[in-house]
Amino acid sequence: MNTSTLPSPTAATRDVLDARADRGFRWLVTGAGVLVLLSLGAAAMSMLWGGRAAFEKFGIAFLWRDAWDPVAQDFGALVPIYGTVVTAVIALIIAVPVSFGIAMFLTEIAPKWLRAPVGAAIELLAGIPSIIYGMWGLFVLVPFLAEHVYPWVDENLGAMPFIGALFSGPPLGLGMGTAGLVLAIMVIPFISSVMRDVFLTVPTPLKESAYALGSTTTEVVWDVVLPYTRSAVIGGIFLGLGRALGETMAVTFVLGNAHRLTTSLLEPGNSIAATIANEFTEADSPMYLSSLIALGFVLFLVTFVVLTIARLMLRQLAKKEGN
Amino acid sequence: MDWLSSSVGLYGRRRARNLIAQTLAVIATVFGLFWLVWIMWTTLTKGLGALNLALFTQMTPPPGDTGGMLNAFFGSAVMSLLGIVIGAPIGVLAGTFLAEYSQKSWLGETVRFVNDILLSAPSIVLGLFVYTLVVAQMGHFSALAGGIALAFIVLPVVVRTTDEMLQLVPSQMREAALSLGVPQWKVTMQVLYRSALPGIVTGILLALARISGETAPLLFTALNNQYWTTDILAPMANVPVVIFQYAMSPYESWQTLAWAGAFMLTVFVLCISLIARAIVLRHRISQ
């Protein structure tokens, strides 16, 4: 009864304790937040540190040297970088139109009852561990392509002028084309779920007015939905690109691990992630190890830039939503 | 009549375009589902055929021999647990910072942005990071390093979900508690966490599903071990790396074992995702 008007000593100490606990808790959560911030910086720094021997020896030319000779201790990143870029580009060429189609199907075409299950099934693809994609690629897709698809490609497309160089070669099944296809399958769920989610943010009155003017579904998606969500759609594509660039296990299985520069998509190649995964435990000299970590640093920088663009693009739509 | 025919032509062309585009969209969806079915079918048929009791009772065999994956299952469980135990509490706290304490400050915005990047950063990069941070310092591979590498994958997932789930808690609940004179940390611990618990648990489960299939970071940190060990400071077998090594090997018995492991892994990951989904659904209905 008195405590409300005259705080007793125990209540006062309790206030002090509470205030102290409050400050402590605030420091704790802020510290955890800063730790997240630090971990990204520390990751970059540690790889720069680990790769310093390679950067010191080869300089910036490490990026465009095509040597990779563990015996002569001569290393360059050109072949892995080339393989990474080519496989990621193939993946996007396949995945972007397909993802757009899936997003259009899930938001405008499919009957209501079908949308949730099909969407969930596509998202299931994203949940499968990448090593499963790799095994399936190696044991099922590679023999299938080698037997039924690549001989035909080599015979027909390989003979064409200009683009022929891309499609000629021994039908091994392993190679950059296969890796690109597997990557495409892996990024489709990511890109399509971003696209579907942002398509759903388009205000219904906007779409309805277009329909009321007699637009077809395709015209609504192409002329109303897509312009409204353009930045986020590009963000979603970059998110998929970031994933394709850094994907390791699936690519390691089907790329063939060959250190040479080739224009043919049918021939084995290498990528940054696959090189590291394949050779890391076999790296027997400090320079070899350092070159692999330097490769990791290059991969980190590239994905960092790509993912930053992706997030900024995605944020633009969110801002428009807020206003 | 001229205008009529031309307009029919225009309408016809538009309708044809619409039909073609819609058909292509349906084909794209079938294309996506086709791979899902093919991959699941392969894992199911090859994996079920390779399942037997020895898988759960015996150790990983030497080349050409038959055996099981008991040590790998144990190792994966230990390292996933380590990853969750290290990563989840920090993640929950950092998520709390973002949702409750940063109030649109530049620090909060930066942390959120960096966390989003960490969320989709290639796991191989995090593996190399932990290699230079832990393995190179200790001088040898260890399960502890593997756990730390996995913690860095758990962290951004948990931060993101905690942040989102806390923001979903109605602000009236905060205000009601604060107006009673409850200090903010107690409001957070006893009101907000309780209300957001299903969401936070879902985030941790999703993180678990993600790390249980991670291979690349473990290659550089935990490596592999053919034998049974409970020493977390020593290299330890784990399911993904065993699958990787055995699948790439020329021995038939190893490849069969790899398929059995792949089947178990897929089933585990899908079950965890389904449970996470069920929690979200039930939570949403109860609200």
Side-chain angles (χ1 to χ4, degrees), chain A residues 82-210:
Chain A
Y82 173 75
T84 304
V85 171
V86 169
T87 49
V89 167
I90 299 172
L92 284 193
I93 290 175
I94 301 170
V96 169
V98 172
S99 305
F100 179 71
I102 293 175
M104 182 172 159
F105 178 79
L106 288 178
T107 53
E108 296 295 329
I109 299 172
K112 279 258 163 18
W113 56 270
L114 199 59
R115 292 180 187 182
V118 171
I122 297 282
E123 276 171 21
L124 212 61
L125 260 178
I128 299 175
S130 64
I131 191 160
I132 308 291
Y133 283 92
M135 277 188 82
W136 170 80
L138 181 66
F139 290 109
V140 180
L141 187 64
V142 165
F144 177 81
L145 291 176
E147 209 163 306
H148 302 292
V149 180
Y150 283 167
W152 181 88
V153 168
D154 184 36
E155 211 161 285
N156 295 286
L157 297 177
M160 284 159 98
F162 302 116
I163 62 161
L166 283 176
F167 298 110
S168 58
L172 298 174
L174 294 168
M176 294 197 281
T178 314
L181 177 61
V182 174
L183 279 180
I185 301 168
M186 296 186 71
V187 299
I188 283 172
F190 285 88
I191 303 182
S192 63
S193 73
V194 171
M195 282 190 184
R196 180 195 60 182
D197 290 350
V198 299
F199 283 5
L200 288 175
T201 64
V202 177
T204 316
L206 215 58
K207 286 192 290 188
E208 279 174 353
S209 23

Side-chain angles (χ1 to χ4, degrees), chain A residues 49-72:
Chain A
W49 177 250
R52 71 190 184 284
F55 285 125
E56 268 166 21
K57 185 170 173 195
F58 305 112
I60 190 78
F62 179 74
L63 295 179
W64 54 80
R65 290 162 54 91
D66 63 350
W68 192 268
D69 188 347
V71 182

Side-chain angles (χ1 to χ4, degrees), chain A residues 14 18 21-22 25-26 28-30 32-37 39-40 42-43 46-47 50 94 97-98 101-102 104-105 109 118 120-125 127-133 135-136 138-141 144 181 185 188 214-219 222 239 242-243 246 248-249 252-253 273 276-278 280-281 289 292-293 296 299-300 303-304 307-308 311-312 315, chain B residues 14-15 17-19 21-22 24-26 28-29 31-33 35-36 38-40 42-43 46 90 93-94 96-97 101 107 109-126 128-129 131-133 141 152 155 159-160 183-186 188-189 193 210 213 215-216 219-220 223 240-241 243-244 247-248 255 258-259 262-263 265-266 269-270 277:
Chain A
R14 222 177 109 178
D18 273 343
D22 232 8
F25 193 72
R26 177 181 284 272
L28 192 67
V29 295
T30 313
V34 171
L35 198 73
V36 173
L37 209 61
S39 60
L40 195 75
S46 73
M47 270 183 291
I94 301 170
V98 172
I102 293 175
M104 182 172 159
F105 178 79
I109 299 172
V118 171
I122 297 282
E123 276 171 21
L124 212 61
L125 260 178
I128 299 175
S130 64
I131 191 160
I132 308 291
Y133 283 92
M135 277 188 82
W136 170 80
L138 181 66
F139 290 109
V140 180
L141 187 64
F144 177 81
L181 177 61
I185 301 168
I188 283 172
S215 298
T216 61
T217 308
T218 312
E219 284 163 352
W222 197 256
L239 216 56
R243 186 156 178 94
T248 313
M249 296 328 288
T252 309
F253 272 98
I276 303 174
N278 266 321
F280 197 83
T281 44
L289 202 62
L292 287 172
I293 298 179
L299 179 65
F300 178 85
T303 46
F304 181 79
L307 292 174
T308 304
R311 290 299 168 186
L312 289 176
R315 207 159 272 201
Chain B
R14 284 178 55 199
R15 284 181 56 180
R17 242 190 67 187
N18 185 37
L19 200 69
Q22 294 207 6
L24 286 178
V26 174
T29 312
F31 180 82
L33 294 175
W35 301 112
L36 176 75
W38 195 0
I39 293 170
M40 296 303 271
T42 307
T43 322
K46 295 221 180 196
I90 302 176
L93 288 176
T96 312
F97 168 71
Y101 286 84
L107 182 65
E109 287 301 304
T110 319
V111 170
R112 196 170 278 139
F113 194 82
V114 163
N115 188 67
D116 277 350
I117 287 182
L118 214 55
L119 195 63
S120 21
S123 58
I124 191 168
V125 164
L126 296 170
L128 284 178
F129 167 43
Y131 172 83
T132 44
L133 190 78
F141 296 98
F152 275 107
L155 181 68
V159 171
R160 175 72 172 270
Q184 198 180 357
W185 70 276
K186 259 189 195 163
T188 310
M189 300 283 266
Y193 281 166
R210 215 183 132 185
T215 319
L219 271 176
F220 319 133
L223 205 62
V241 174
I243 294 178
F244 177 52
M248 292 288 241
Q255 290 178 1
W259 276 114
F263 174 77
L265 185 61
T266 312
V269 168
L270 291 183
R277 237 168 229 276

